[in-house]
Amino acid sequence: MNFDFTETQTMVRDTLQRFLKDRYDFESRQKISRSEKGWSPEIWKAFAEELGILGASFSEDQGGLGGGQIENMIVMEEVGRSLVVEPYLSTVVIGGGFAREYDRTDIVEGIIGGEMRIAFAWAEPKGRFDPDHVEVTAKEKDGGFVLNGHKAVVRDAPSATHLVVTARTGGGTTDAEGVSLFLIPADSAGVQRRDYPLVDGGIASEVYFENAEVSHDALLGEAGKASATVRKVMDEAVVGLCAEAVGLMQQMNELTQSYTKERKQFGVPISKFQVLQHRMVDMFMEAEQALSMTYMAVNKLPDTASVAMAKAKIGKGITFVGQNAVQLHGGNGISDEYAIGHYFKRGTILEGQFGTTDHYLRRYERLTLG
Amino acid sequence: MKMDLSFTPEEEAFREEVRSFIADNYPAKLKEVGGREDLGKDDMLAWHQILGKKGWSVPSWPKEYGGTGWNPTQKYIWNEESARAETIPPLPFGVSMVGPVIYTFGTPEQKERFLPGIVAGTTWWCQGYSEPGAGSDLASLKTKAERVTEDGKDYYIVNGQKTWTTLAQHADWGFFLVRTDPNAAKPQEGISFLLIDMKTPGITVRPIITLGGEHEVNEVWLDNVKVPAENRIYEENKGWTCAKFLLAHERSGIAGVARSKVGIDRIKKIASTELDEDQPLIENPFFKRKVAELEVDLAALEFTELRTLAGEAAGKGPGPESSLLKVKGTEIQQRIQELVLEAVGHYGAPYFRGYGEGGNEYAIGPDYAQRAAPTYFNGRKTSIYGGSNEIQRGIIAKMVLGL
């Protein structure tokens, strides 16, 4: 049994940590998140060129550093720790995941070079967390397809050069059969976006397809057969979120511990009160278990039940850590100026991404308990 | 003991009267807004002023100062009907906080001067209690008031900083805890309770933006602020008595049972519209269980509050037991906010900037989703303010259990 990282993996983590410490402190992050764009092209360029981390999770055949999901996990943990808003999950974990599945070296190259950024348009207003609930249609026409419909809260769409879209080429609204996957340029004719900021500092869009004509090349894989691949890549994304949650939780714990050691009331640092000590111990134990579950899930990929377990455990844990981190900061916890509230907000939204704690608990039940 | 928890025909008639009064008089404009966040000062006071004319703005006060003389059941009915109609209630700073302090500890002149403005809803009050270094440990406050005499008149010169001052940006007057005797044997013994006109030179109000993006709280800086000594309530250095009295009062209103009932109804409504696996979300057994648990806990809180109210009617003032109402009440409010956010799904994430000036041009997703996240974020304050829930548990341990 071995939980150690390889030399390359350690290097990826250390370089990224050093970079984020220098160039992505809380104030810089706030400035980027609140800028007109809501993300930083310079930072993304640095990820690609200075750090080379965008290739860390791809095989050498594909032009990467020879890594995989462990490298994604390592990066996502730092994304959490520094509240990074740039689209690593959307582009590398999800976009790269589809590129790997469909063996599209051209996409991988675009991602590694930093010039291709991807947003995954799967959710729909009435579909909640079911990726097979697809009302967006793709009808064959003149050898290509015509897309119509509405995708909800497409994270990172405003910064994306390309969209990966689930659309129905056959079957009923919630059938797995008939779900197809398309990769299209974000500025394709007939694609309308409403861009907006998110409460966690990220960006997203409502995406409307109005007779958007796409070529046959836009289809990823076989028409109507994308459901299983979508679920597989989504599981990889959920593991990425779990790793992000670990970074968030560890950082919230660190901030809370140092705050309570400095904050004095009744003549002593409030960290001396046993009731608060035990609370912080419980928070620490949640973060430790989150790390364990993330390691488990990443090692067991593509086992979907393990991913469901991890998301359920971590969703509950990050809610507990976030709420108590704010509580222990007192009024400062809800002040926009303090970092802690922004970690709490990101953790809150993360808990519901791709499905809430209850959703994944129920999924685990169904997969294993019948 | 004979228990009777049912309503009499008179009480049912009273409910009808209250319900139709609200229906006929609640300003239409206020019905369209989601919450206080979207309102300017005048709008925020509008309903208070209507109630003031009707004589219903301060139901809990003694009749001689403008109270309604309602019994606990009538007050309960009033709260329920106000919540059901989703009225924006009068601000608590005058009605539930400084008002009771003034009629309990003030001089006849002070009562005459300050109470009518609270009843009528024409004076906006804010609370100057917390300081950067004095939160849970309120008695350690440092804002200093030195007594001086000028032209035969006594004044206090006040210097220091207050924080978390809710809606101070609109306030006409503030009630402040200040240190008048730095050498007192115990920190509680050197504190006085001052009423300060917020237009006095030397007062600076600076906004603190909170997690939902709201400007609700402020820092208040006091730089050589000259306050007539006649604005002191109760004796010099005895302000802690007023402060403790006020905190107990604040806690008893904080349970928010009627509003939480409406909150749970709202969850049910949203969860009947939102779909999960093509079924209404409310049919999801996990979700339904959480709603049921909330209802059970709210019933427990409601009947605990009713017992407290009945005790008050029998002459027992709100004691340390009211800490229980604060802890459980705020926990339930926060769980409701959390469940609303869960119910709205993906559309909880878009950042909604409000309908007012600087707001979004359009809302993203269903109307009921717009405020789900900011309300949840902002609601974390309830287990922190008014004495954090940790402090409340400490009070119960010490004052109720004698540990």
Side-chain angles (χ1 to χ4, degrees), chain A residues 128 152 174 197-199 206 263 265-266 279 323 327 331-332 334 336 345 358 362 366, chain B residues 132-133 135-137 164 209-211 277 290 338 342-343 346-347 349 351 376 383 390:
Chain A
R128 207 165 173 85
T174 58
L198 298 171
V199 291
E206 295 302 285
R263 172 75 176 169
Q265 290 284 271
F266 305 101
R279 193 87 53 85
Q323 291 177 347
Q327 182 72 18
N332 292 324
I334 58 159
D336 183 69
K345 291 203 278 189
D358 275 3
R362 201 179 185 198
R366 284 169 172 168
Chain B
S136 289
D137 184 10
W164 312 121
I209 304 300
T210 47
L211 290 187
E277 301 178 354
K290 282 198 256 196
E338 196 173 343
E342 181 177 335
H346 302 290
Y347 284 112
Y351 177 36
Y376 167 67
S383 53
E390 286 80 5

mmCIF file of all heavy atoms in Angstrom, chain A residues 128 152 174 197-199 206 263 265-266 279 323 327 331-332 334 336 345 358 362 366, chain B residues 132-133 135-137 164 209-211 277 290 338 342-343 346-347 349 351 376 383 390:
data_model
loop_
_atom_site.group_PDB
_atom_site.id
_atom_site.type_symbol
_atom_site.label_atom_id
_atom_site.label_comp_id
_atom_site.label_asym_id
_atom_site.label_seq_id
_atom_site.Cartn_x
_atom_site.Cartn_y
_atom_site.Cartn_z
ATOM 1 N N ARG A 128 -32.524 18.991 -13.310
ATOM 2 C CA ARG A 128 -31.799 18.884 -12.045
ATOM 3 C C ARG A 128 -30.461 18.170 -12.246
ATOM 4 O O ARG A 128 -29.656 18.659 -13.019
ATOM 5 C CB ARG A 128 -32.664 18.204 -10.981
ATOM 6 C CG ARG A 128 -32.249 18.651 -9.569
ATOM 7 C CD ARG A 128 -33.274 18.304 -8.517
ATOM 8 N NE ARG A 128 -32.825 18.582 -7.176
ATOM 9 C CZ ARG A 128 -32.912 19.751 -6.564
ATOM 10 N NH1 ARG A 128 -33.439 20.790 -7.192
ATOM 11 N NH2 ARG A 128 -32.491 19.922 -5.324
ATOM 12 N N ALA A 152 -28.686 25.293 -18.895
ATOM 13 C CA ALA A 152 -28.738 26.139 -17.702
ATOM 14 C C ALA A 152 -27.391 26.216 -17.002
ATOM 15 O O ALA A 152 -26.680 25.216 -16.876
ATOM 16 C CB ALA A 152 -29.780 25.599 -16.727
ATOM 17 N N THR A 174 -35.789 11.589 -20.987
ATOM 18 C CA THR A 174 -34.832 11.153 -19.963
ATOM 19 C C THR A 174 -34.148 9.831 -20.323
ATOM 20 O O THR A 174 -33.518 9.207 -19.474
ATOM 21 C CB THR A 174 -35.518 11.012 -18.586
ATOM 22 O OG1 THR A 174 -36.590 10.066 -18.714
ATOM 23 C CG2 THR A 174 -36.069 12.336 -18.108
ATOM 24 N N PRO A 197 -22.094 36.607 -13.388
ATOM 25 C CA PRO A 197 -21.213 36.102 -12.330
ATOM 26 C C PRO A 197 -21.969 35.125 -11.430
ATOM 27 O O PRO A 197 -23.201 35.142 -11.383
ATOM 28 C CB PRO A 197 -20.836 37.362 -11.547
ATOM 29 C CG PRO A 197 -21.936 38.331 -11.810
ATOM 30 C CD PRO A 197 -22.546 37.982 -13.137
ATOM 31 N N LEU A 198 -21.220 34.297 -10.734
ATOM 32 C CA LEU A 198 -21.821 33.356 -9.780
ATOM 33 C C LEU A 198 -21.516 33.812 -8.347
ATOM 34 O O LEU A 198 -20.547 34.539 -8.117
ATOM 35 C CB LEU A 198 -21.248 31.956 -9.996
ATOM 36 C CG LEU A 198 -21.526 31.334 -11.362
ATOM 37 C CD1 LEU A 198 -20.717 30.044 -11.538
ATOM 38 C CD2 LEU A 198 -23.015 31.058 -11.538
ATOM 39 N N VAL A 199 -22.305 33.357 -7.405
ATOM 40 C CA VAL A 199 -22.104 33.797 -6.015
ATOM 41 C C VAL A 199 -20.778 33.300 -5.442
ATOM 42 O O VAL A 199 -20.291 33.837 -4.451
ATOM 43 C CB VAL A 199 -23.252 33.335 -5.077
ATOM 44 C CG1 VAL A 199 -24.538 34.080 -5.404
ATOM 45 C CG2 VAL A 199 -23.451 31.845 -5.116
ATOM 46 N N GLU A 206 -26.345 31.283 -19.359
ATOM 47 C CA GLU A 206 -27.457 30.532 -19.926
ATOM 48 C C GLU A 206 -27.116 30.433 -21.412
ATOM 49 O O GLU A 206 -26.753 31.439 -22.041
ATOM 50 C CB GLU A 206 -28.778 31.271 -19.764
ATOM 51 C CG GLU A 206 -29.216 31.451 -18.325
ATOM 52 C CD GLU A 206 -29.362 30.140 -17.579
ATOM 53 O OE1 GLU A 206 -30.347 29.428 -17.828
ATOM 54 O OE2 GLU A 206 -28.479 29.822 -16.759
ATOM 55 N N ARG A 263 -7.724 36.119 18.101
ATOM 56 C CA ARG A 263 -8.878 36.852 18.606
ATOM 57 C C ARG A 263 -9.022 36.655 20.117
ATOM 58 O O ARG A 263 -9.188 35.528 20.589
ATOM 59 C CB ARG A 263 -10.134 36.352 17.890
ATOM 60 C CG ARG A 263 -11.443 36.870 18.435
ATOM 61 C CD ARG A 263 -11.663 38.298 18.025
ATOM 62 N NE ARG A 263 -12.974 38.778 18.481
ATOM 63 C CZ ARG A 263 -13.328 40.066 18.438
ATOM 64 N NH1 ARG A 263 -12.484 40.962 17.983
ATOM 65 N NH2 ARG A 263 -14.511 40.436 18.853
ATOM 66 N N GLN A 265 -11.083 37.411 23.615
ATOM 67 C CA GLN A 265 -12.280 37.851 24.315
ATOM 68 C C GLN A 265 -12.178 37.295 25.729
ATOM 69 O O GLN A 265 -11.604 36.229 25.942
ATOM 70 C CB GLN A 265 -13.550 37.320 23.633
ATOM 71 C CG GLN A 265 -13.841 37.957 22.275
ATOM 72 C CD GLN A 265 -14.399 39.375 22.365
ATOM 73 O OE1 GLN A 265 -15.579 39.610 22.441
ATOM 74 N NE2 GLN A 265 -13.491 40.355 22.385
ATOM 75 N N PHE A 266 -12.746 37.997 26.678
ATOM 76 C CA PHE A 266 -12.693 37.598 28.088
ATOM 77 C C PHE A 266 -11.225 37.399 28.523
ATOM 78 O O PHE A 266 -10.913 36.498 29.302
ATOM 79 C CB PHE A 266 -13.502 36.321 28.340
ATOM 80 C CG PHE A 266 -14.932 36.427 27.877
ATOM 81 C CD1 PHE A 266 -15.329 35.857 26.671
ATOM 82 C CD2 PHE A 266 -15.874 37.119 28.624
ATOM 83 C CE1 PHE A 266 -16.641 35.968 26.217
ATOM 84 C CE2 PHE A 266 -17.194 37.229 28.185
ATOM 85 C CZ PHE A 266 -17.574 36.655 26.980
ATOM 86 N N ARG A 279 -14.906 21.935 18.427
ATOM 87 C CA ARG A 279 -15.481 22.243 17.127
ATOM 88 C C ARG A 279 -14.390 22.183 16.053
ATOM 89 O O ARG A 279 -14.574 21.606 14.985
ATOM 90 C CB ARG A 279 -16.111 23.636 17.159
ATOM 91 C CG ARG A 279 -17.007 23.944 15.977
ATOM 92 C CD ARG A 279 -18.420 23.484 16.217
ATOM 93 N NE ARG A 279 -18.930 24.000 17.472
ATOM 94 C CZ ARG A 279 -19.493 25.206 17.621
ATOM 95 N NH1 ARG A 279 -19.631 25.995 16.572
ATOM 96 N NH2 ARG A 279 -19.946 25.586 18.782
ATOM 97 N N GLN A 323 -19.789 26.235 7.534
ATOM 98 C CA GLN A 323 -20.678 26.926 8.472
ATOM 99 C C GLN A 323 -19.950 27.250 9.770
ATOM 100 O O GLN A 323 -20.093 28.338 10.336
ATOM 101 C CB GLN A 323 -21.916 26.070 8.757
ATOM 102 C CG GLN A 323 -22.827 25.954 7.535
ATOM 103 C CD GLN A 323 -24.029 25.059 7.768
ATOM 104 O OE1 GLN A 323 -24.087 24.316 8.751
ATOM 105 N NE2 GLN A 323 -24.996 25.130 6.869
ATOM 106 N N GLN A 327 -18.892 30.732 11.622
ATOM 107 C CA GLN A 327 -19.358 30.937 12.994
ATOM 108 C C GLN A 327 -18.206 31.344 13.919
ATOM 109 O O GLN A 327 -18.331 32.262 14.715
ATOM 110 C CB GLN A 327 -20.012 29.644 13.504
ATOM 111 C CG GLN A 327 -20.584 29.716 14.913
ATOM 112 C CD GLN A 327 -21.852 30.558 15.001
ATOM 113 O OE1 GLN A 327 -22.504 30.817 13.983
ATOM 114 N NE2 GLN A 327 -22.200 30.995 16.192
ATOM 115 N N GLY A 331 -18.685 38.021 13.483
ATOM 116 C CA GLY A 331 -19.134 38.951 12.445
ATOM 117 C C GLY A 331 -18.186 38.995 11.255
ATOM 118 O O GLY A 331 -18.626 39.114 10.109
ATOM 119 N N ASN A 332 -16.890 38.876 11.523
ATOM 120 C CA ASN A 332 -15.927 38.920 10.417
ATOM 121 C C ASN A 332 -16.150 37.801 9.407
ATOM 122 O O ASN A 332 -15.756 37.910 8.251
ATOM 123 C CB ASN A 332 -14.495 38.857 10.960
ATOM 124 C CG ASN A 332 -14.147 40.124 11.728
ATOM 125 O OD1 ASN A 332 -14.563 41.214 11.362
ATOM 126 N ND2 ASN A 332 -13.404 39.967 12.814
ATOM 127 N N ILE A 334 -18.898 36.914 8.108
ATOM 128 C CA ILE A 334 -19.841 37.271 7.045
ATOM 129 C C ILE A 334 -19.456 38.576 6.356
ATOM 130 O O ILE A 334 -20.193 39.090 5.533
ATOM 131 C CB ILE A 334 -21.308 37.331 7.524
ATOM 132 C CG1 ILE A 334 -21.460 38.329 8.663
ATOM 133 C CG2 ILE A 334 -21.817 35.964 7.933
ATOM 134 C CD1 ILE A 334 -22.898 38.795 8.808
ATOM 135 N N ASP A 336 -17.440 40.702 3.689
ATOM 136 C CA ASP A 336 -16.895 40.482 2.348
ATOM 137 C C ASP A 336 -15.374 40.649 2.306
ATOM 138 O O ASP A 336 -14.703 40.107 1.434
ATOM 139 C CB ASP A 336 -17.563 41.494 1.397
ATOM 140 C CG ASP A 336 -17.122 41.323 -0.037
ATOM 141 O OD1 ASP A 336 -17.494 40.315 -0.633
ATOM 142 O OD2 ASP A 336 -16.387 42.190 -0.543
ATOM 143 N N LYS A 345 -18.552 30.388 0.619
ATOM 144 C CA LYS A 345 -19.464 30.492 -0.525
ATOM 145 C C LYS A 345 -19.098 29.474 -1.609
ATOM 146 O O LYS A 345 -19.974 28.804 -2.161
ATOM 147 C CB LYS A 345 -19.431 31.914 -1.099
ATOM 148 C CG LYS A 345 -20.051 32.935 -0.159
ATOM 149 C CD LYS A 345 -20.525 34.177 -0.881
ATOM 150 C CE LYS A 345 -19.428 35.153 -1.147
ATOM 151 N NZ LYS A 345 -19.953 36.439 -1.668
ATOM 152 N N ASP A 358 -27.353 14.636 -0.785
ATOM 153 C CA ASP A 358 -28.460 13.674 -0.817
ATOM 154 C C ASP A 358 -28.556 12.945 -2.149
ATOM 155 O O ASP A 358 -28.855 11.756 -2.201
ATOM 156 C CB ASP A 358 -29.794 14.393 -0.553
ATOM 157 C CG ASP A 358 -30.042 14.540 0.931
ATOM 158 O OD1 ASP A 358 -29.161 14.141 1.722
ATOM 159 O OD2 ASP A 358 -31.106 15.063 1.295
ATOM 160 N N ARG A 362 -28.225 8.939 -2.357
ATOM 161 C CA ARG A 362 -29.281 8.143 -2.970
ATOM 162 C C ARG A 362 -28.727 7.305 -4.124
ATOM 163 O O ARG A 362 -29.104 6.144 -4.303
ATOM 164 C CB ARG A 362 -30.366 9.098 -3.492
ATOM 165 C CG ARG A 362 -31.702 8.434 -3.673
ATOM 166 C CD ARG A 362 -32.706 9.451 -4.169
ATOM 167 N NE ARG A 362 -34.030 8.859 -4.232
ATOM 168 C CZ ARG A 362 -35.028 9.371 -4.943
ATOM 169 N NH1 ARG A 362 -34.861 10.494 -5.622
ATOM 170 N NH2 ARG A 362 -36.200 8.779 -4.961
ATOM 171 N N ARG A 366 -28.753 3.215 -4.432
ATOM 172 C CA ARG A 366 -29.297 2.483 -5.583
ATOM 173 C C ARG A 366 -28.254 1.569 -6.225
ATOM 174 O O ARG A 366 -28.573 0.483 -6.690
ATOM 175 C CB ARG A 366 -29.816 3.450 -6.636
ATOM 176 C CG ARG A 366 -31.132 4.060 -6.246
ATOM 177 C CD ARG A 366 -31.430 5.179 -7.197
ATOM 178 N NE ARG A 366 -32.776 5.687 -7.005
ATOM 179 C CZ ARG A 366 -33.209 6.813 -7.537
ATOM 180 N NH1 ARG A 366 -32.408 7.536 -8.285
ATOM 181 N NH2 ARG A 366 -34.451 7.210 -7.322
ATOM 182 N N PRO B 132 -14.888 46.488 17.590
ATOM 183 C CA PRO B 132 -13.959 45.518 16.993
ATOM 184 C C PRO B 132 -13.371 44.563 18.030
ATOM 185 O O PRO B 132 -13.211 43.381 17.768
ATOM 186 C CB PRO B 132 -12.885 46.403 16.368
ATOM 187 C CG PRO B 132 -13.587 47.671 16.045
ATOM 188 C CD PRO B 132 -14.599 47.868 17.139
ATOM 189 N N GLY B 133 -13.078 45.073 19.216
ATOM 190 C CA GLY B 133 -12.485 44.191 20.236
ATOM 191 C C GLY B 133 -13.487 43.694 21.261
ATOM 192 O O GLY B 133 -13.123 43.004 22.209
ATOM 193 N N GLY B 135 -16.975 41.821 21.201
ATOM 194 C CA GLY B 135 -18.087 41.140 20.546
ATOM 195 C C GLY B 135 -18.830 40.321 21.569
ATOM 196 O O GLY B 135 -19.674 40.827 22.307
ATOM 197 N N SER B 136 -18.474 39.039 21.652
ATOM 198 C CA SER B 136 -19.071 38.180 22.670
ATOM 199 C C SER B 136 -18.800 38.738 24.065
ATOM 200 O O SER B 136 -19.631 38.668 24.955
ATOM 201 C CB SER B 136 -18.478 36.774 22.567
ATOM 202 O OG SER B 136 -18.956 36.137 21.409
ATOM 203 N N ASP B 137 -17.609 39.297 24.227
ATOM 204 C CA ASP B 137 -17.234 39.906 25.506
ATOM 205 C C ASP B 137 -17.586 41.385 25.457
ATOM 206 O O ASP B 137 -16.720 42.259 25.464
ATOM 207 C CB ASP B 137 -15.728 39.707 25.713
ATOM 208 C CG ASP B 137 -15.266 40.221 27.061
ATOM 209 O OD1 ASP B 137 -16.129 40.558 27.905
ATOM 210 O OD2 ASP B 137 -14.037 40.292 27.268
ATOM 211 N N TRP B 164 -20.652 46.518 13.259
ATOM 212 C CA TRP B 164 -21.837 45.693 12.969
ATOM 213 C C TRP B 164 -23.122 46.467 13.240
ATOM 214 O O TRP B 164 -24.123 45.891 13.630
ATOM 215 C CB TRP B 164 -21.841 44.377 13.764
ATOM 216 C CG TRP B 164 -20.533 43.663 13.698
ATOM 217 C CD1 TRP B 164 -19.749 43.321 14.750
ATOM 218 C CD2 TRP B 164 -19.851 43.209 12.529
ATOM 219 N NE1 TRP B 164 -18.599 42.696 14.312
ATOM 220 C CE2 TRP B 164 -18.642 42.614 12.947
ATOM 221 C CE3 TRP B 164 -20.127 43.265 11.162
ATOM 222 C CZ2 TRP B 164 -17.716 42.073 12.057
ATOM 223 C CZ3 TRP B 164 -19.208 42.731 10.274
ATOM 224 C CH2 TRP B 164 -18.029 42.145 10.722
ATOM 225 N N ILE B 209 -19.627 45.579 3.704
ATOM 226 C CA ILE B 209 -20.381 44.756 2.754
ATOM 227 C C ILE B 209 -20.303 43.301 3.228
ATOM 228 O O ILE B 209 -19.236 42.825 3.613
ATOM 229 C CB ILE B 209 -19.813 44.903 1.328
ATOM 230 C CG1 ILE B 209 -19.806 46.381 0.904
ATOM 231 C CG2 ILE B 209 -20.599 44.046 0.328
ATOM 232 C CD1 ILE B 209 -21.164 47.052 0.892
ATOM 233 N N THR B 210 -21.444 42.638 3.210
ATOM 234 C CA THR B 210 -21.467 41.254 3.695
ATOM 235 C C THR B 210 -21.579 40.258 2.549
ATOM 236 O O THR B 210 -21.685 40.635 1.386
ATOM 237 C CB THR B 210 -22.606 41.060 4.718
ATOM 238 O OG1 THR B 210 -23.793 41.633 4.182
ATOM 239 C CG2 THR B 210 -22.270 41.736 6.027
ATOM 240 N N LEU B 211 -21.589 38.978 2.904
ATOM 241 C CA LEU B 211 -21.418 37.898 1.923
ATOM 242 C C LEU B 211 -22.435 37.860 0.795
ATOM 243 O O LEU B 211 -22.151 37.385 -0.289
ATOM 244 C CB LEU B 211 -21.446 36.543 2.635
ATOM 245 C CG LEU B 211 -20.239 36.257 3.508
ATOM 246 C CD1 LEU B 211 -20.307 34.831 4.017
ATOM 247 C CD2 LEU B 211 -18.963 36.484 2.726
ATOM 248 N N GLU B 277 -35.800 13.958 -11.115
ATOM 249 C CA GLU B 277 -36.107 12.719 -11.832
ATOM 250 C C GLU B 277 -37.552 12.713 -12.340
ATOM 251 O O GLU B 277 -38.281 11.733 -12.194
ATOM 252 C CB GLU B 277 -35.836 11.504 -10.939
ATOM 253 C CG GLU B 277 -34.390 11.456 -10.484
ATOM 254 C CD GLU B 277 -34.096 10.295 -9.558
ATOM 255 O OE1 GLU B 277 -35.048 9.597 -9.174
ATOM 256 O OE2 GLU B 277 -32.917 10.105 -9.230
ATOM 257 N N LYS B 290 -36.425 15.834 5.274
ATOM 258 C CA LYS B 290 -35.838 17.042 5.864
ATOM 259 C C LYS B 290 -36.913 18.084 6.184
ATOM 260 O O LYS B 290 -36.827 18.779 7.193
ATOM 261 C CB LYS B 290 -34.781 17.630 4.930
ATOM 262 C CG LYS B 290 -33.479 16.869 5.013
ATOM 263 C CD LYS B 290 -32.336 17.683 4.463
ATOM 264 C CE LYS B 290 -31.945 17.192 3.119
ATOM 265 N NZ LYS B 290 -30.641 17.649 2.658
ATOM 266 N N GLU B 338 -31.048 26.986 4.140
ATOM 267 C CA GLU B 338 -30.207 25.969 3.504
ATOM 268 C C GLU B 338 -31.046 25.074 2.587
ATOM 269 O O GLU B 338 -30.641 24.729 1.482
ATOM 270 C CB GLU B 338 -29.544 25.141 4.605
ATOM 271 C CG GLU B 338 -28.365 24.323 4.142
ATOM 272 C CD GLU B 338 -27.629 23.650 5.312
ATOM 273 O OE1 GLU B 338 -27.826 24.053 6.482
ATOM 274 O OE2 GLU B 338 -26.887 22.702 5.044
ATOM 275 N N GLU B 342 -30.971 24.395 -1.430
ATOM 276 C CA GLU B 342 -30.894 23.045 -1.991
ATOM 277 C C GLU B 342 -32.022 22.821 -3.010
ATOM 278 O O GLU B 342 -31.797 22.258 -4.078
ATOM 279 C CB GLU B 342 -30.983 22.003 -0.867
ATOM 280 C CG GLU B 342 -30.883 20.587 -1.401
ATOM 281 C CD GLU B 342 -30.885 19.534 -0.296
ATOM 282 O OE1 GLU B 342 -30.506 19.850 0.854
ATOM 283 O OE2 GLU B 342 -31.286 18.396 -0.587
ATOM 284 N N ALA B 343 -33.203 23.311 -2.665
ATOM 285 C CA ALA B 343 -34.367 23.061 -3.521
ATOM 286 C C ALA B 343 -34.217 23.704 -4.898
ATOM 287 O O ALA B 343 -34.641 23.133 -5.891
ATOM 288 C CB ALA B 343 -35.642 23.566 -2.832
ATOM 289 N N HIS B 346 -29.573 24.219 -9.627
ATOM 290 C CA HIS B 346 -28.539 24.988 -10.331
ATOM 291 C C HIS B 346 -28.723 26.496 -10.200
ATOM 292 O O HIS B 346 -27.760 27.241 -10.199
ATOM 293 C CB HIS B 346 -28.539 24.635 -11.822
ATOM 294 C CG HIS B 346 -28.313 23.183 -12.090
ATOM 295 N ND1 HIS B 346 -27.101 22.590 -11.870
ATOM 296 C CD2 HIS B 346 -29.147 22.201 -12.532
ATOM 297 C CE1 HIS B 346 -27.187 21.294 -12.183
ATOM 298 N NE2 HIS B 346 -28.425 21.045 -12.586
ATOM 299 N N TYR B 347 -29.969 26.943 -10.139
ATOM 300 C CA TYR B 347 -30.210 28.388 -10.163
ATOM 301 C C TYR B 347 -29.950 29.079 -8.827
ATOM 302 O O TYR B 347 -30.196 30.272 -8.681
ATOM 303 C CB TYR B 347 -31.612 28.691 -10.698
ATOM 304 C CG TYR B 347 -31.679 28.524 -12.201
ATOM 305 C CD1 TYR B 347 -32.425 27.495 -12.787
ATOM 306 C CD2 TYR B 347 -30.946 29.364 -13.032
ATOM 307 C CE1 TYR B 347 -32.450 27.332 -14.166
ATOM 308 C CE2 TYR B 347 -30.961 29.201 -14.412
ATOM 309 C CZ TYR B 347 -31.718 28.184 -14.983
ATOM 310 O OH TYR B 347 -31.725 28.029 -16.338
ATOM 311 N N ALA B 349 -26.868 29.283 -7.928
ATOM 312 C CA ALA B 349 -25.503 29.782 -8.115
ATOM 313 C C ALA B 349 -25.390 31.173 -8.749
ATOM 314 O O ALA B 349 -24.497 31.929 -8.385
ATOM 315 C CB ALA B 349 -24.680 28.772 -8.915
ATOM 316 N N TYR B 351 -25.325 35.001 -9.413
ATOM 317 C CA TYR B 351 -25.286 36.117 -8.471
ATOM 318 C C TYR B 351 -26.323 37.144 -8.886
ATOM 319 O O TYR B 351 -26.199 37.785 -9.929
ATOM 320 C CB TYR B 351 -23.884 36.728 -8.459
ATOM 321 C CG TYR B 351 -23.728 37.934 -7.571
ATOM 322 C CD1 TYR B 351 -24.401 38.034 -6.359
ATOM 323 C CD2 TYR B 351 -22.885 38.982 -7.928
ATOM 324 C CE1 TYR B 351 -24.253 39.137 -5.544
ATOM 325 C CE2 TYR B 351 -22.727 40.092 -7.108
ATOM 326 C CZ TYR B 351 -23.423 40.161 -5.925
ATOM 327 O OH TYR B 351 -23.277 41.260 -5.122
ATOM 328 N N TYR B 376 -29.197 32.663 2.379
ATOM 329 C CA TYR B 376 -28.505 31.637 3.176
ATOM 330 C C TYR B 376 -27.188 32.186 3.724
ATOM 331 O O TYR B 376 -26.885 32.036 4.907
ATOM 332 C CB TYR B 376 -28.272 30.400 2.304
ATOM 333 C CG TYR B 376 -27.310 29.391 2.890
ATOM 334 C CD1 TYR B 376 -27.642 28.680 4.048
ATOM 335 C CD2 TYR B 376 -26.073 29.154 2.307
ATOM 336 C CE1 TYR B 376 -26.748 27.749 4.595
ATOM 337 C CE2 TYR B 376 -25.190 28.231 2.840
ATOM 338 C CZ TYR B 376 -25.525 27.531 3.976
ATOM 339 O OH TYR B 376 -24.651 26.624 4.520
ATOM 340 N N SER B 383 -26.838 33.210 14.008
ATOM 341 C CA SER B 383 -26.262 32.439 15.111
ATOM 342 C C SER B 383 -25.046 33.148 15.702
ATOM 343 O O SER B 383 -24.406 32.649 16.616
ATOM 344 C CB SER B 383 -25.890 31.027 14.643
ATOM 345 O OG SER B 383 -25.061 31.081 13.499
ATOM 346 N N GLU B 390 -23.058 30.144 20.955
ATOM 347 C CA GLU B 390 -22.155 29.592 21.977
ATOM 348 C C GLU B 390 -22.345 30.349 23.293
ATOM 349 O O GLU B 390 -22.402 29.738 24.367
ATOM 350 C CB GLU B 390 -20.691 29.709 21.512
ATOM 351 C CG GLU B 390 -20.285 28.728 20.412
ATOM 352 C CD GLU B 390 -20.723 29.167 19.013
ATOM 353 O OE1 GLU B 390 -21.277 30.283 18.859
ATOM 354 O OE2 GLU B 390 -20.514 28.391 18.057
#
